[in-house]
Coordinates of all heavy atoms in Angstrom, one line a residue:
T1 N 36.7 76.3 14.6 CA 35.5 76.6 13.8 C 35.9 77.0 12.4 O 37.0 77.5 12.1 CB 34.6 77.7 14.5 OG1 33.3 77.7 13.8 CG2 35.3 79.1 14.3
L2 N 35.0 76.7 11.5 CA 35.2 77.0 10.0 C 34.3 78.1 9.6 O 33.1 78.2 10.0 CB 34.8 75.7 9.2 CG 35.5 74.4 9.4 CD1 34.8 73.3 8.6 CD2 37.0 74.6 9.0
A3 N 34.9 79.1 8.9 CA 34.1 80.2 8.4 C 34.9 80.9 7.3 O 36.1 80.7 7.2 CB 33.8 81.2 9.5
D4 N 34.2 81.5 6.4 CA 34.9 82.3 5.4 C 35.2 83.7 6.0 O 34.5 84.7 5.8 CB 34.0 82.5 4.1 CG 34.6 83.3 3.0 OD1 35.8 83.7 3.1 OD2 33.9 83.6 2.1
F5 N 36.3 83.8 6.7 CA 36.6 85.0 7.5 C 37.0 86.2 6.6 O 36.7 87.3 7.0 CB 37.7 84.7 8.5 CG 37.2 83.9 9.7 CD1 37.7 82.6 9.8 CD2 36.4 84.4 10.6 CE1 37.3 81.8 10.9 CE2 36.0 83.7 11.7 CZ 36.4 82.4 11.9
D6 N 37.6 85.9 5.5 CA 38.1 87.1 4.6 C 37.1 87.3 3.5 O 37.4 88.2 2.7 CB 39.5 86.9 4.2 CG 39.7 85.6 3.2 OD1 38.7 84.8 3.2 OD2 40.7 85.5 2.6
G7 N 36.1 86.6 3.3 CA 35.1 86.8 2.3 C 35.5 86.5 0.9 O 35.0 87.2 -0.1
D8 N 36.4 85.5 0.7 CA 36.9 85.2 -0.6 C 36.1 84.0 -1.2 O 36.4 83.5 -2.3 CB 38.4 84.9 -0.6 CG 38.8 83.7 0.1 OD1 37.9 83.1 0.8 OD2 40.0 83.3 0.1
G9 N 35.1 83.5 -0.5 CA 34.4 82.4 -0.9 C 34.9 81.0 -0.5 O 34.3 80.0 -0.9
N10 N 35.9 81.0 0.3 CA 36.5 79.7 0.8 C 36.5 79.7 2.3 O 36.6 80.7 3.0 CB 37.9 79.5 0.2 CG 38.0 79.5 -1.3 OD1 37.4 78.6 -1.9 ND2 38.6 80.5 -1.9
L11 N 36.6 78.4 2.8 CA 36.5 78.3 4.3 C 37.9 78.4 4.9 O 38.9 77.8 4.5 CB 36.0 76.9 4.7 CG 34.5 76.7 4.4 CD1 34.1 75.2 4.9 CD2 33.7 77.7 5.2
D12 N 38.0 79.3 5.9 CA 39.2 79.4 6.7 C 39.0 78.7 8.1 O 37.9 78.3 8.4 CB 39.5 80.9 7.0 CG 39.5 81.7 5.7 OD1 40.3 81.3 4.8 OD2 38.7 82.6 5.5
I13 N 40.0 78.6 8.9 CA 39.9 77.8 10.1 C 40.5 78.6 11.3 O 41.6 79.1 11.2 CB 40.7 76.5 10.0 CG1 40.3 75.6 8.8 CG2 40.6 75.7 11.3 CD1 41.1 74.4 8.6
Y14 N 39.7 78.8 12.3 CA 40.1 79.3 13.6 C 40.5 78.1 14.5 O 39.7 77.2 14.7 CB 39.1 80.2 14.3 CG 39.4 80.4 15.7 CD1 40.3 81.4 16.1 CD2 38.7 79.7 16.7 CE1 40.6 81.6 17.5 CE2 39.0 79.9 18.1 CZ 40.0 80.8 18.4 OH 40.2 81.0 19.8
I15 N 41.6 78.2 15.2 CA 42.1 77.2 16.1 C 42.3 77.9 17.5 O 43.1 78.8 17.6 CB 43.4 76.5 15.7 CG1 43.2 75.8 14.4 CG2 43.9 75.6 16.8 CD1 42.3 74.6 14.5
G16 N 41.6 77.4 18.5 CA 41.8 78.0 19.9 C 42.5 76.9 20.8 O 41.9 75.9 21.0
N17 N 43.7 77.3 21.3 CA 44.4 76.4 22.1 C 44.2 76.7 23.6 O 43.9 77.8 24.0 CB 45.9 76.4 21.8 CG 46.2 75.8 20.5 OD1 45.5 74.9 20.0 ND2 47.3 76.2 19.8
Y18 N 44.4 75.6 24.4 CA 44.1 75.7 25.8 C 45.5 75.8 26.6 O 45.9 76.9 26.9 CB 43.3 74.5 26.3 CG 42.8 74.6 27.7 CD1 41.8 75.5 28.0 CD2 43.4 73.9 28.8 CE1 41.3 75.6 29.3 CE2 42.9 74.0 30.1 CZ 41.8 74.8 30.3 OH 41.4 74.9 31.6
F19 N 46.1 74.7 26.8 CA 47.5 74.8 27.4 C 48.5 75.4 26.4 O 48.3 75.2 25.2 CB 48.0 73.4 27.8 CG 47.3 72.8 29.0 CD1 46.3 71.9 28.9 CD2 47.7 73.2 30.3 CE1 45.7 71.3 30.0 CE2 47.1 72.7 31.4 CZ 46.1 71.8 31.3
P20 N 49.5 76.0 26.8 CA 50.6 76.4 25.9 C 51.2 75.1 25.3 O 51.0 74.0 25.8 CB 51.6 77.1 26.8 CG 50.9 77.5 28.0 CD 49.8 76.5 28.2
D21 N 51.9 75.3 24.2 CA 52.5 74.2 23.5 C 53.4 73.5 24.5 O 54.4 74.1 24.9 CB 53.3 74.6 22.3 CG 52.4 75.3 21.2 OD1 51.2 75.5 21.5 OD2 52.9 75.7 20.2
S22 N 53.1 72.3 24.8 CA 53.9 71.6 25.9 C 53.5 70.1 25.9 O 52.4 69.7 25.5 CB 53.6 72.2 27.3 OG 52.2 72.3 27.5
P23 N 54.3 69.2 26.6 CA 54.0 67.8 26.6 C 53.0 67.4 27.7 O 53.4 66.7 28.7 CB 55.4 67.2 26.9 CG 56.1 68.3 27.7 CD 55.6 69.6 27.2
V24 N 51.8 67.9 27.6 CA 50.8 67.7 28.6 C 50.5 66.2 28.9 O 50.4 65.8 30.1 CB 49.5 68.3 28.2 CG1 48.3 68.0 29.2 CG2 49.7 69.8 28.1
L25 N 50.5 65.3 27.9 CA 50.1 63.9 28.0 C 51.3 63.0 27.9 O 51.1 61.8 27.7 CB 49.1 63.6 26.9 CG 47.8 64.4 26.9 CD1 46.9 63.9 25.8 CD2 47.1 64.3 28.3
D26 N 52.5 63.5 28.2 CA 53.7 62.6 28.1 C 54.2 62.3 29.5 O 54.8 63.1 30.2 CB 54.8 63.4 27.4 CG 56.0 62.5 27.2 OD1 56.1 61.4 27.7 OD2 56.9 62.9 26.4
P27 N 53.9 61.0 30.0 CA 54.3 60.6 31.4 C 55.8 60.5 31.5 O 56.3 60.4 32.6 CB 53.6 59.3 31.6 CG 53.4 58.7 30.2 CD 53.2 59.9 29.3
G28 N 56.5 60.4 30.4 CA 58.0 60.4 30.5 C 58.6 61.7 30.8 O 59.8 61.8 31.0
E29 N 57.8 62.8 30.7 CA 58.3 64.1 31.1 C 57.8 64.5 32.5 O 56.7 64.1 32.9 CB 57.8 65.1 30.1 CG 58.3 64.9 28.7 CD 59.7 65.4 28.5 OE1 60.2 66.2 29.3 OE2 60.3 65.1 27.4
N30 N 58.6 65.3 33.2 CA 58.2 65.8 34.5 C 58.5 67.3 34.6 O 59.6 67.7 35.1 CB 58.9 65.1 35.6 CG 58.3 65.3 37.0 OD1 57.6 66.3 37.2 ND2 58.5 64.4 37.9
G31 N 57.7 68.1 33.9 CA 57.9 69.5 33.9 C 57.7 70.0 32.4 O 57.3 69.3 31.5
G32 N 58.1 71.3 32.3 CA 57.9 71.9 31.0 C 56.4 72.2 30.7 O 56.0 72.5 29.5
V33 N 55.6 72.3 31.7 CA 54.2 72.5 31.6 C 53.8 73.6 32.7 O 54.5 73.7 33.7 CB 53.3 71.3 31.8 CG1 53.6 70.3 30.6 CG2 53.6 70.6 33.1

């Protein structure tokens, strides 16, 4: 989502992740998830 979180007049960005950083969509990997 976009919002001016610190009130300086500019848009900041919140990023919400689901899986931990990992090769979720890599069929060449078997693990690490």
Side-chain angles (χ1 to χ4, degrees):
T1 193
L2 300 172
D4 179 9
F5 286 109
D6 63 349
D8 68 351
N10 299 295
L11 288 181
D12 310 301
I13 303 173
Y14 163 78
I15 297 292
N17 287 335
Y18 190 72
F19 286 101
D21 298 4
S22 54
V24 173
L25 301 179
D26 187 349
E29 297 281 345
N30 195 337
V33 294

